[in-house]
């Protein structure tokens, strides 16, 4: 059984399912998204050279039947539906459930809901409605974050014959699995103390390093989401400071590749109190 829940930016929501008052009659756009094939062509080349495929926005259409006991209730529910699907509020969250699968996607109403006239579309106790949504990012997401703390490893080399010291290396390392259809951004939280902390995606050969010292009460938060990239330090009072300019110039805001990813954390501080938590949502092309 399908169920749709749309929640707007004000927190208002409407539930569409196989029963009154908002009966979901059909939904289009769960899987079909156009792709823009990127190619380049050299002089005298037959055909072209493939570069990449870029997905377009996702369009979703909902056909709804409003059911009530009288005309006054119909008008009230029409007004409520228009209020929830208010395009002036910007992005909301569309949640899809079918009994075994739960997915979410950000969506913007593409206009005010349509309430068609005619005896087949309107009556004393029913009213049909059409809602059109545009999803700027076409991927469906898990409804929850996968969040894991990186484990602590220690190893080292001793040189007792030549030096009265020990060189050791401490690092956090763990395998993270992206079970979605496409790479997904990550949210990284470092808990100090740390000096010049670095997180590596050994699978992708990429890293993010922040040339900054963290105290034991500091928290470094990195978001690698396209269009929302950020690097901030939060102190013990919850005050955040933008430290984007402290990013190492060779760093890249990597994503988890599809499948297994080995992530590793290191710091110039040898403390065992440091913790790193990685959070992400798997992304899918369809439901």
């Amino acid at each position: 059984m399908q169920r749709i829940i749309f929640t707007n930016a004000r927190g208002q929501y409407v539930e569409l399912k196989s029963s009154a008052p908002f009966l979901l009659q059909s939904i289009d756009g769960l899987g079909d998204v156009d792709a823009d094939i990127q190619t380049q062509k050299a002089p005298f080349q037959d055909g072209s050279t493939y570069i990449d495929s870029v997905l377009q926005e996702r369009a979703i259409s909902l056909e709804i039947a409003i059911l009530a006991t009288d005309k006054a209730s119909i008008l009230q529910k029409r007004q409520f539906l228009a209020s929830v699907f208010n395009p002036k509020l910007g992005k909301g969250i569309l949640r899809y459930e079918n009994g075994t699968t739960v997915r979410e996607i950000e969506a913007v109403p593409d206009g005010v809901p349509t309430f068609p006239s005619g005896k087949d579309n309107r009556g004393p106790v029913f009213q049909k409605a059409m809602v059109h949504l545009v999803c700027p990012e076409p991927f469906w997401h898990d409804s929850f974050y996968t969040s894991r703390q990186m484990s602590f490893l220690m190893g080292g080399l001793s040189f007792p014959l030549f030096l009265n010291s020990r060189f050791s290396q401490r690092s956090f390392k763990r395998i993270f699995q992206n079970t979605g259809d496409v790479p997904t951004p990550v949210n990284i939280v470092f808990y100090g103390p740390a000096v010049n902390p670095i997180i590596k995606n050994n699978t992708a050969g990429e890293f993010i390093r922040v040339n900054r010292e963290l105290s034991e009460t500091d928290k470094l938060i990195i978001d690698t989401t396209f269009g929302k990239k950020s690097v901030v330090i939060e102190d013990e009072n919850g005050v955040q400071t933008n430290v984007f300019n402290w990013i190492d110039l060779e760093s890249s805001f990597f994503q988890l590749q599809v499948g297994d990813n080995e992530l590793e954390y290191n710091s110039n501080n040898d403390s065992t109190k440091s913790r790193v938590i990685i959070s992400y949502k798997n992304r899918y092309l369809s439901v």
Side-chain angles (χ1 to χ4, degrees):
M1 181 180 68
Q2 292 186 118
R3 184 171 75 147
I4 296 290
I5 301 174
F6 181 78
T7 305
N8 66 24
R10 284 198 301 223
Q12 292 176 296
Y13 70 92
V14 62
E15 182 178 350
L16 314 175
K17 53 184 180 179
S18 58
S19 60
F22 299 104
L23 173 67
L24 178 63
Q25 293 189 302
S26 69
I27 177 171
D28 293 323
L30 296 181
D32 38 325
V33 174
D34 292 333
D36 183 10
I37 308 302
Q38 306 286 313
T39 62
Q40 65 181 13
K41 186 177 181 67
F44 309 108
Q45 178 182 2
D46 293 321
S48 60
T49 301
Y50 172 80
I51 300 175
D52 200 359
S53 298
V54 180
L55 296 183
Q56 301 300 309
E57 297 88 350
R58 181 184 297 274
I60 296 179
S61 296
L62 305 170
E63 186 175 342
I64 306 164
I66 303 173
L67 305 177
T69 55
D70 53 55
K71 185 176 180 180
S73 295
I74 288 288
L75 294 175
Q76 183 182 35
K77 288 176 172 54
R78 275 181 46 160
Q79 177 60 44
F80 174 72
L81 202 66
S83 178
V84 173
F85 290 103
N86 180 355
K88 295 293 288 183
L89 297 178
K91 292 188 294 186
I93 300 295
L94 185 72
R95 180 183 176 96
Y96 173 86
E97 302 176 4
N98 67 6
T100 59
T101 301
V102 178
R103 299 279 189 267
E104 292 182 346
I105 193 169
E106 289 186 333
V108 182
D110 186 17
V112 178
T114 302
F115 304 103
S117 59
K119 63 179 182 179
D120 293 334
N121 300 314
R122 179 186 300 176
V125 293
F126 79 96
Q127 167 71 69
K128 286 189 177 181
M130 291 292 299
V131 175
H132 301 286
L133 304 170
V134 174
C135 306
E137 184 188 277
F139 305 114
W140 293 92
H141 297 179
D142 283 333
S143 60
F144 56 89
Y145 279 97
T146 297
S147 184
R148 302 180 70 187
Q149 181 171 314
M150 302 182 75
S151 58
F152 177 74
L153 302 172
M154 182 174 68
L157 296 172
S158 295
F159 302 92
L161 297 179
F162 304 102
L163 297 171
N164 187 23
S165 62
R166 178 179 177 85
F167 292 85
S168 63
Q169 179 185 10
R170 291 192 173 99
S171 66
F172 298 85
K173 187 180 297 186
R174 190 161 196 171
I175 297 295
F176 291 81
Q177 188 177 42
N178 175 6
T179 60
D181 299 323
V182 294
T184 189
V186 292
N187 183 268
I188 306 167
V189 180
F190 299 89
Y191 292 88
V195 177
N196 303 331
I198 179 173
I199 181 80
K200 303 176 184 177
N201 186 335
N202 293 329
T203 301
E206 299 176 298
F207 69 89
I208 302 173
R209 178 189 285 114
V210 177
N211 297 318
R212 179 75 179 251
E213 181 174 355
L214 304 179
S215 72
E216 192 168 329
T217 58
D218 283 339
K219 183 166 61 174
L220 175 65
I221 306 169
I222 299 175
D223 189 348
T224 70
T225 304
F226 184 83
K228 300 178 182 177
K229 295 175 183 177
S230 63
V231 185
V232 299
I233 288 181
E234 183 176 295
D235 65 20
E236 58 186 330
N237 298 315
V239 177
Q240 292 190 344
T241 303
N242 182 3
V243 293
F244 204 100
N245 58 311
W246 292 98
I247 284 284
D248 187 287
L249 294 180
E250 296 184 0
S251 298
S252 58
F253 285 79
F254 63 76
Q255 300 190 340
L256 294 185
Q257 303 302 304
V258 175
D260 290 343
N261 294 255
E262 183 186 74
L263 301 191
E264 179 180 355
Y265 159 68
N266 280 288
S267 164
N268 293 343
N269 184 303
D270 209 25
S271 173
T272 61
K273 296 180 180 180
S274 301
R275 291 183 296 129
V276 181
I277 295 178
I278 308 291
S279 301
Y280 59 95
K281 288 185 177 183
N282 295 308
R283 304 195 297 179
Y284 307 90
L285 298 175
S286 183
V287 295

